[in-house]
Amino acid sequence: MSLAPQSISTSMISSSSSAFLSPSNLNFNSRQNAWVQAKRISVCKCVAAPQEEKIAYKTKVSRNGNLGKLQAGYLFPEIARRKAAHMLKYPDAEVISLGIGDTTEPIPEVITSALAKRSYALSTQEGYSGYGAEQGEKPLRAAIASTFYKDLGIEEGDIFVSDGAKCDISRLQIVFGSNVTMAVQDPSYPAYVDSSVIMGQTGEFQKDAEKYGKIEYMRCTAENGFFPDLSTVARTDIIFFCSPNNPTGAAATREQLTRLVQFAKDNGSIIVYDSAYALYISDDNPRSIFEIPGAKEVAIETSSFSKYAGFTGVRLGWTVIPKELLFSDGFPVAKDFNRIVCTCFNGASNISQAGGLACLSPEGFKAVHEVIGFYKENTDIIVETFNSLGFKVYGGKNAPYVWVQFPGRSSWDVFSEILKKTHVVTTPGSGFGPGGEGFIRVSAFGHRGNVLEACKRFKHLYK
Amino acid sequence: MVQPSLTVRKEGVGRCTKVHRNFNLEKLRNGYLFTEIARRELQHLEKYPNAKVISLGIGDTTQPIPDNISMSMANYARALATAEGYRGYGAEQGNKELRKAIAETHYKDVLVKESEVFVSDGSQCDIARLLLVLGSNVTVAAQDPSFPAYIDSSVIVGQAGDLEDEVGKYCNIEYLECGPGNNFFPDLKGTSRTDIIFFCSPNNPTGHAATQNQLEQLVEFARNNGSIIIFDSAYAAYVTDGCPRSIYEIPGAREVAIEISSFSKFSGFTGVRLGWTVVPEELLFSSGFPVINDFNRIICTCFNGASNIAQAGGLACLSSEGLEAVHSVVDYYKENTKILIDTLASLGIKVYGGINAPYVWAHFPGRKSWDVFAEILEKTHITTVPGSGFGPGGEEYIRISGFGHRESILEASRRLEALF
């Protein structure tokens, strides 16, 4: 059977349709590893096949229905795809990427020399090490505990070093299994929802609402200060909460997190608290959920070296699971996580871990703060730009993301307009959930020159 | 590999949440095998603090990584401190150059495209990701005995059903017995159809490398049943006698098999973390949907790529200088394994494997493998792995790994000679 393509007009791609339908005319074909002219297919009619077509061999293995529920590719590869398509179309344009939150500044030397030193050591008898503890090297676990959780009652043994928060989220989902219900902020980092769909925790995608069935979406808007009205949130087993928030940039206050912890306690839920941007906080909002009394009985915290040390490619993160966190039958969650870590993982790279340890040395930590400071200055420049243009601007103070409102407009349309007219890549808010519609996320990772140039172009476009 | 301390304080003991424990995890009876071996070794060290324990249990590499490879990684790391050399997020599928090098080096005589190679942080992680792609509704077959991650991950994902305690088998898993009686290749005629077939060759723990003929039978079996083979070729570099190193040497395999492999035992990257999975374009689900598309989606959503430094190391391993250096280390371990085989054979112990893999599979008829393990540990201070840890088909066997410093291997041989 061949498919007769029907071309689609952009009017069919409205803000209420699936967030990822693309009007672009180029597709990256991973099989051919090349960009190919896209068949502009959205609705397909089957017609009789010409006789010469070979029938491909198919196995008898049914596709995992959960993967069939996913509406499109993961958000960030889609942004990358669009950017690449744009660059092909405008080969002379100087495209500036403020879309995917990819770090750009070099890693401080005190840290890279530790990475290099460990690499060299692996070629010596004394320095060679094979398999490491799957939970991570002891000195690093201890350093994470003392740097981030001093006086919070979190110990080295509660820390599990990983190759990053995204991977940890999926490992946590594997621990939880398919029979748990989950709640997310809306908008939120797409890996929470996507991994939930993959695990089979959700129902089908409801096109009208742009939501998956069985997920509790906790609306975070300008009106509610980007903290959900918990009195309207149904009980779920798991609550994903990211603060400072990606994409809105909002950092929850102590008072808000106290209410969240109480909510979890009352409902017997487990909070998965993503604190990957904690070091970007400017004011005195909590940097860890464990600053809230009682949190150890209801929360897991996950974090990452990606946005602190520019380790986006080096790969290093961690998850904290307190001993006090128990399933309904009293079984410690940490024990099951440990089992997954030992069976489905084999530890973060030893070289990356040596780098992590250097990040947490006094000299390394100081250098890390300098790089963070640099990105925060970038963020200030972007905030100031959009403010001066009369936009309603959120975030930016406690996170490297600026959440700009474009009331009444489809975020993918705004994304396309900005890309086309200024050659700047951003991220459309609806990619983070229906609550992101009407917003654009501008990330502050970039060389200073690029950020300044991008802001100049924004000023020109929206003056 | 020590379990974290989990004593919940009595006073103000943690209050339970209302979240039910994942019942799949309840089905795992014990800790992961190698975690248990590590625990026993530590316990032994505590009991005999002056004993010189020799670890021939967990297959952990011991020889340094060749200079040119670690130098590449060091250089790459240093470059991350410069504007020109800094790299952020890499492609989740892996660095293009490395994917190309893997396709050209490991698959030069068979048709594997760069775009079908997915670089990872190791096979154990890839196995879990593959099972995540496949979901809980598929049926699984695995060799018996086999690397425990296949079955354990299958249990975790919900494919395995309940454990039948008396036989030590999960009721939904098809166990493909491999022993001396059937030339370490399962009798496929008597095997029920499953969606997925895990097959490791050269085999961990038995050391047997399947022949061309055996793999042709396996591919035919998979084709006839519409099954998918997950072929673990982590020990391909240890093949000595011309047995196939890749499933794709078998015609028709591209439409029925995924291949996983690793730099761990190839380049001593057990701690550095690097591996890969090949998913051919022609591999389709029953609906015609390409498996590669779903694998790619999982990679992009549940993973963020292998460490860029490790990947730089991997690329160096596959340069001609790197390959030469890496193969000398592999030869070193192969010589170790030969020493162990010769020792055990001279003691009249029936040994298998060791020719195409760094593992010796020693038979102790009529004895429980955990008892033999304990006896060897207690009397010679050598850690091995009891065969039943790899499945009921491993009972009466002990796996001895050939990874170690030469002196340790020689000393271990002396002690075994004294014991037996």
Side-chain angles (χ1 to χ4, degrees):
Chain A
M1 290 281 224
S2 77
L3 304 170
Q6 270 190 357
S7 63
I8 47 172
S9 62
T10 41
S11 62
M12 285 167 73
I13 307 162
S14 69
S15 60
S16 63
S17 65
S18 165
F20 304 112
L21 280 176
S22 158
S24 140
N25 62 353
L26 282 166
N27 277 336
F28 185 72
N29 185 316
S30 67
R31 287 179 258 166
Q32 295 173 28
N33 212 28
W35 292 93
V36 293
Q37 198 70 25
K39 294 194 184 80
R40 299 192 327 175
I41 297 170
S42 122
V43 178
C44 300
K45 269 170 34 178
C46 286
V47 298
Q51 290 297 352
E52 315 82 64
E53 265 185 32
K54 200 176 136 202
I55 310 292
Y57 169 87
K58 293 183 280 221
T59 65
K60 290 191 187 128
V61 182
S62 301
R63 188 184 176 212
N64 182 349
N66 294 328
L67 285 158
K69 292 177 185 155
L70 289 168
Q71 288 305 291
Y74 188 58
L75 173 62
F76 300 110
E78 177 64 17
I79 302 298
R81 199 189 64 71
R82 300 252 195 153
K83 174 185 164 183
H86 183 80
M87 285 168 79
L88 269 172
K89 197 170 172 192
Y90 300 96
D92 296 325
E94 272 165 41
V95 173
I96 298 175
S97 299
L98 301 180
I100 294 166
D102 195 6
T103 48
T104 54
E105 300 314 289
I107 295 173
E109 254 188 73
V110 59
I111 296 162
T112 56
S113 57
L115 292 165
K117 191 163 171 220
R118 186 66 183 269
S119 302
Y120 276 134
L122 292 171
S123 63
T124 67
Q125 291 281 8
E126 325 72 52
Y128 180 77
S129 59
Y131 285 118
E134 295 93 337
Q135 305 82 1
E137 293 179 350
K138 273 179 152 303
L140 178 57
R141 295 170 83 188
I144 291 170
S146 65
T147 306
F148 297 98
Y149 305 102
K150 206 176 165 69
D151 303 324
L152 297 181
I154 296 293
E155 293 158 358
E156 171 196 321
D158 301 323
I159 312 280
F160 294 80
V161 178
S162 75
D163 61 327
K166 198 187 200 188
C167 320
D168 274 341
I169 286 159
S170 285
R171 281 189 279 264
L172 281 166
Q173 296 283 36
I174 290 174
V175 169
F176 297 139
S178 54
N179 288 335
V180 295
T181 51
M182 65 95 104
V184 285
Q185 287 163 293
D186 178 22
S188 70
Y189 178 54
Y192 312 141
V193 167
D194 284 17
S195 60
S196 186
V197 176
I198 288 166
M199 276 308 296
Q201 296 162 355
T202 77
E204 296 289 338
F205 187 74
Q206 294 146 7
K207 279 199 157 58
D208 45 342
E210 289 200 339
K211 295 180 174 183
Y212 287 94
K214 288 170 74 179
I215 294 184
E216 184 71 10
Y217 289 76
M218 306 187 293
R219 249 313 153 89
C220 291
T221 61
E223 291 73 33
N224 63 18
F226 299 102
F227 188 80
D229 176 3
L230 296 173
S231 68
T232 65
V233 176
R235 181 200 175 274
T236 56
D237 293 305
I238 312 299
I239 305 168
F240 279 96
F241 200 91
C242 177
S243 178
N245 190 263
N246 172 12
T248 69
T253 63
R254 195 164 310 269
E255 187 271 327
Q256 288 169 333
L257 291 179
T258 305
R259 279 193 276 138
L260 182 68
V261 166
Q262 190 58 48
F263 180 73
K265 266 189 161 8
D266 293 342
N267 285 343
S269 309
I270 296 175
I271 299 166
V272 175
Y273 189 82
D274 186 343
S275 64
Y277 302 97
L279 291 183
Y280 285 80
I281 293 176
S282 300
D283 49 34
D284 57 14
N285 288 321
R287 281 141 171 80
S288 163
I289 190 67
F290 302 115
E291 289 182 40
I292 311 300
K296 294 215 288 284
E297 290 173 342
V298 298
I300 290 169
E301 181 159 309
T302 188
S303 194
S304 172
F305 283 85
S306 286
K307 308 297 163 59
Y308 292 167
F311 270 29
T312 37
V314 174
R315 308 306 318 144
L316 194 70
W318 72 88
T319 288
V320 182
I321 310 199
K323 305 171 207 41
E324 292 88 327
L325 187 67
L326 311 173
F327 286 114
S328 56
D329 63 354
F331 196 88
V333 177
K335 212 163 170 195
D336 273 348
F337 189 71
N338 188 61
R339 185 45 149 111
I340 297 304
V341 155
C342 290
T343 309
C344 305
F345 185 51
N346 230 327
S349 176
N350 48 15
I351 300 170
S352 307
Q353 293 192 61
L357 196 57
C359 290
L360 303 181
S361 69
E363 197 191 341
F365 208 45
K366 182 161 172 273
V368 152
H369 277 284
E370 275 161 22
V371 180
I372 290 173
F374 175 88
Y375 291 130
K376 286 174 73 136
E377 279 161 23
N378 281 355
T379 319
D380 289 341
I381 292 167
I382 297 167
V383 167
E384 193 275 326
T385 298
F386 280 99
N387 269 330
S388 74
L389 291 167
F391 283 97
K392 273 231 147 53
V393 179
Y394 303 96
K397 184 155 166 258
N398 293 308
Y401 297 119
V402 184
W403 192 235
V404 186
Q405 192 166 26
F406 287 80
R409 296 197 61 190
S410 140
S411 56
W412 276 102
D413 289 349
V414 180
F415 164 87
S416 297
E417 174 183 88
I418 294 175
L419 181 57
K420 187 161 180 197
K421 296 186 178 169
T422 69
H423 305 300
V424 177
V425 186
T426 56
T427 313
S430 60
F432 300 95
E437 187 59 286
F439 286 87
I440 287 287
R441 185 193 82 171
V442 184
S443 101
F445 297 108
H447 299 315
R448 184 58 50 82
N450 284 339
V451 172
L452 289 168
E453 173 62 21
C455 287
K456 217 166 99 185
R457 297 180 194 177
F458 293 145
K459 283 187 165 148
H460 185 77
L461 175 63
Y462 289 114
K463 62 177 186 288
Chain B
M1 281 168 270
V2 180
Q3 280 212 352
S5 149
L6 288 163
T7 46
V8 177
R9 285 179 281 276
K10 285 291 179 206
E11 64 292 354
V13 82
R15 260 180 17 195
C16 301
T17 62
K18 290 193 187 130
V19 182
H20 293 302
R21 190 182 172 211
N22 181 349
F23 57 84
N24 291 327
L25 286 161
E26 282 180 43
K27 292 178 184 167
L28 290 168
R29 208 44 110 241
N30 309 304
Y32 190 53
L33 173 65
F34 301 110
T35 312
E36 181 60 17
I37 301 297
R39 198 187 64 75
R40 298 253 197 155
E41 189 175 295
L42 258 171
Q43 237 177 13
H44 185 81
L45 271 165
E46 276 164 33
K47 194 173 166 191
Y48 301 99
N50 296 321
K52 286 196 167 68
V53 172
I54 299 177
S55 299
L56 301 181
I58 293 164
D60 195 6
T61 47
T62 54
Q63 300 315 102
I65 292 172
D67 276 347
N68 71 317
I69 295 162
S70 61
M71 180 100 86
S72 293
M73 293 194 286
N75 287 342
Y76 190 93
R78 260 202 289 275
L80 293 171
T82 68
E84 323 74 48
Y86 179 74
R87 296 285 180 275
Y89 284 118
E92 296 92 338
Q93 304 82 359
N95 168 300
K96 259 181 144 324
E97 259 192 282
L98 178 58
R99 295 171 83 186
K100 185 163 184 275
I102 291 169
E104 287 175 358
T105 318
H106 288 278
Y107 302 102
K108 66 175 183 299
D109 300 320
V110 298
L111 290 162
V112 167
K113 302 180 192 167
E114 170 198 326
S115 56
E116 296 170 328
V117 177
F118 292 79
V119 178
S120 75
D121 61 327
S123 294
Q124 202 158 278
C125 321
D126 275 341
I127 288 160
R129 282 188 280 263
L130 279 166
L131 293 184
L132 215 55
V133 169
L134 297 165
S136 56
N137 289 334
V138 296
T139 51
V140 166
Q143 287 163 295
D144 181 22
S146 70
F147 180 53
Y150 312 141
I151 290 179
D152 282 17
S153 301
S154 187
V155 174
I156 287 166
V157 171
Q159 299 159 344
D162 292 314
L163 178 67
E164 286 159 25
D165 275 300
E166 326 82 56
V167 289
K169 293 184 175 183
Y170 288 92
C171 61
N172 290 349
I173 294 187
E174 183 74 7
Y175 289 75
L176 310 172
E177 268 175 50
C178 292
N182 59 11
N183 232 331
F184 291 97
F185 189 77
D187 170 21
L188 295 173
K189 282 191 285 300
T191 300
S192 305
R193 180 197 176 277
T194 53
D195 293 304
I196 310 302
I197 305 168
F198 277 102
F199 200 91
C200 177
S201 179
N203 191 262
N204 172 10
T206 69
H208 176 78
T211 62
Q212 177 89 14
N213 181 272
Q214 287 172 333
L215 290 180
E216 280 169 5
Q217 288 177 54
L218 182 68
V219 168
E220 195 190 344
F221 179 72
R223 278 187 93 85
N224 293 340
N225 283 343
S227 308
I228 297 177
I229 299 166
I230 297 178
F231 189 81
D232 187 342
S233 65
Y235 301 97
Y238 291 78
V239 168
T240 310
D241 62 8
C243 284
R245 286 162 195 249
S246 163
I247 191 67
Y248 304 114
E249 292 182 34
I250 312 301
R254 284 178 59 82
E255 290 167 332
V256 300
I258 290 168
E259 181 159 307
I260 62 178
S261 194
S262 172
F263 283 83
S264 286
K265 308 299 162 57
F266 174 58
S267 321
F269 270 30
T270 37
V272 174
R273 307 309 316 145
L274 194 69
W276 72 88
T277 289
V278 178
V279 185
E281 291 167 4
E282 291 93 311
L283 186 66
L284 309 175
F285 286 114
S286 55
S287 60
F289 193 88
V291 177
I292 194 174
N293 288 9
D294 275 349
F295 189 69
N296 189 60
R297 185 43 149 113
I298 297 298
I299 293 301
C300 290
T301 310
C302 306
F303 184 52
N304 231 329
S307 175
N308 49 13
I309 301 170
Q311 293 194 60
L315 197 58
C317 289
L318 302 180
S319 68
S320 46
E321 195 194 339
L323 280 170
E324 209 188 308
V326 146
H327 278 291
S328 343
V329 182
V330 167
D331 285 341
Y332 180 91
Y333 292 132
K334 285 166 86 158
E335 281 155 28
N336 281 354
T337 316
K338 178 137 201 328
I339 292 169
L340 291 166
I341 294 181
D342 290 346
T343 301
L344 292 165
S346 75
L347 294 167
I349 296 172
K350 222 158 169 73
V351 284
Y352 303 94
I355 298 169
N356 291 307
Y359 298 120
V360 180
W361 191 236
H363 194 197
F364 293 83
R367 297 198 59 190
K368 284 194 117 29
S369 55
W370 277 104
D371 290 344
V372 182
F373 164 87
E375 183 191 347
I376 294 175
L377 182 56
E378 182 71 25
K379 296 185 179 168
T380 69
H381 307 300
I382 297 172
T383 323
T384 56
V385 186
S388 61
F390 298 97
E395 191 60 284
E396 297 188 353
Y397 289 84
I398 288 287
R399 186 194 83 173
I400 301 169
S401 100
F403 297 108
H405 300 311
R406 186 58 52 79
E407 321 81 65
S408 305
I409 300 291
L410 292 168
E411 172 61 21
S413 296
R414 279 192 286 274
R415 295 184 197 176
L416 290 168
E417 276 165 355
L419 174 62
F420 292 112

